[in-house]
Amino acid sequence: MNLVPCSAPAAMLGAALPELFAPLVRSLVDRSGLSKGALWRLIGDALAGALLMQGKHAGREEKAMEMAYAALRDRQNPLHSRQTGFFRIELPERPDIAEWFRARGGCCRYYTTEGGAYCSTCVLRDPESREALLRAHLRRKHGLEEA
């Protein structure tokens, strides 16, 4: 099962997305107050998240992450981000329970809204709190009591 129906999906995505999203990025800079770079990082985060979700669904997470990295690590691509990536969280008490998550490279600034908070994988969150939140999520997802 292919994650994307073409012979070179990473190259196709890396080339197509900047062209597709450039008009949106240009129009959102003034409206959002975010820089072009910040908006491109959010798009890269969304790409990484979507590919990881599709990879999980297809049982091909490694291939999905490889595809995302092809665009995110290309310095010529506006989606380039040193911070967007992936990490694996395991439960110490249940090593058989583990899951891949996306590390964000951009911040949506949800924390600045009334009642908002840092997202669980926010680039502004420290790794320890991020991992604690995601371990708690895995425990809830698998019906385990909080330790």
Side-chain angles (χ1 to χ4, degrees):
M1 169 183 228
N2 285 334
L3 293 172
V4 177
C6 67
S7 61
M12 295 290 291
L13 283 172
L17 289 177
E19 188 175 326
L20 290 170
F21 283 99
L24 179 63
V25 168
R26 282 192 301 273
S27 71
L28 287 178
V29 168
D30 291 334
R31 292 180 183 152
S32 70
L34 297 174
S35 70
K36 282 183 185 179
L39 291 166
W40 282 115
R41 284 188 297 277
L42 292 173
I43 293 167
D45 289 348
L47 168 68
L51 283 170
L52 181 58
M53 186 179 354
Q54 182 64 19
K56 286 178 181 182
H57 178 72
R60 300 191 60 202
E61 292 165 304
E62 301 285 336
K63 182 65 175 171
M65 291 183 284
E66 181 183 307
M67 287 174 57
Y69 277 133
L72 297 171
R73 298 299 183 253
D74 177 0
R75 291 184 181 275
Q76 304 306 310
N77 193 316
L79 296 170
H80 174 261
S81 174
R82 293 183 322 270
Q83 294 170 299
T84 303
F86 304 95
F87 60 97
R88 189 170 171 85
I89 296 290
E90 299 176 356
L91 293 182
E93 70 275 19
R94 290 281 307 271
D96 58 313
I97 297 177
E99 193 169 325
W100 283 99
F101 292 92
R102 175 211 44 208
R104 306 248 337 241
C107 177
C108 65
R109 300 185 45 83
Y110 175 65
Y111 73 94
T112 65
T113 64
E114 186 176 327
Y118 291 112
C119 301
S120 60
T121 58
C122 182
V123 67
L124 301 177
R125 184 179 286 284
D126 65 277
E128 293 79 19
S129 68
R130 175 184 75 182
E131 291 171 13
L133 283 171
L134 294 173
R135 280 192 186 94
H137 162 74
L138 285 177
R139 288 181 181 107
R140 284 189 306 275
K141 182 177 177 178
H142 293 277
L144 304 173
E145 291 293 318
E146 280 288 335

